Amino acid sequence: VLAPRAGLLTASTCAPGGALRSGTVSFAVDGRPLLTLATSTPLWRDLPIGTSGADAAAVVAALRELGASVDGATVTASVIAAYDAVAKAAGAPASGGTIARDGVVWIPSAAATALTCDASVGTLLEPGRPLASLSPRLGGARLPAPPAGWGAGPRAGSSTKQQTRGGAPVGGAGG
């Protein structure tokens, strides 16, 4: 998680093991709360009305994930209004008509766990300076096929005999 702008880190809710959530404020620089937003790609430019592209589509999708009724791949007045509503609810400033790249802290998923918090309040930041590092996400695991014959035969602690008590089976519906 990188600082999107230069300035003094004036607030941080980051805690190792804590969550950074999309649609919230986790950091403030120079007293300005920054909106944390999970998008499929980080913003690389400011997004005024009429802007389209992968970053604009990613913001639209993120706002939709947060409950906004927006769609498409272009920043429209409706997208700006949805962004401003999310920002206001989080305590971040409204866009002023342009979603500013330096007002958004990018995270890769809707909720990311902070492994470390790399900047404390009072730290002088430059754009791109680490604010936090995230716990790796396991996307899946692939196991090799077991050797031939593996798993065949009786298991430890199992018995092929049925247990009985007084001639009645134990562990069944009546046991």
Side-chain angles (χ1 to χ4, degrees):
V1 179
L2 305 176
R5 60 182 300 177
L8 190 70
L9 185 63
T10 51
S12 172
T13 62
C14 185
L20 300 177
R21 297 190 188 285
S22 188
T24 66
V25 168
S26 301
F27 305 96
V29 175
D30 292 338
R32 179 179 182 218
L34 304 175
L35 183 65
T36 302
L37 200 58
T39 59
S40 58
T41 184
L43 275 67
W44 64 82
R45 59 186 171 161
D46 292 343
L47 301 174
I49 291 175
T51 304
S52 60
D55 52 348
V59 168
V60 171
L63 293 170
R64 195 171 39 250
E65 285 290 319
L66 292 169
S69 296
V70 291
D71 59 5
T74 301
V75 176
T76 62
S78 296
V79 170
I80 293 292
Y83 176 90
D84 288 348
V86 168
K88 180 180 179 183
S95 67
T98 296
I99 299 170
R101 178 191 57 78
D102 70 353
V104 175
V105 173
W106 179 76
I107 57 173
S109 59
T113 302
L115 183 62
T116 63
C117 299
D118 303 323
S120 57
V121 171
T123 300
L124 189 58
L125 301 173
E126 291 298 324
R129 186 187 192 286
L131 295 170
S133 54
L134 304 178
S135 294
R137 296 181 318 157
L138 181 60
R142 185 176 306 266
L143 301 174
W150 183 83
R155 304 290 182 262
S158 69
S159 171
T160 56
K161 291 192 224 176
Q162 184 174 15
Q163 296 181 357
T164 61
R165 182 182 310 138
V170 175

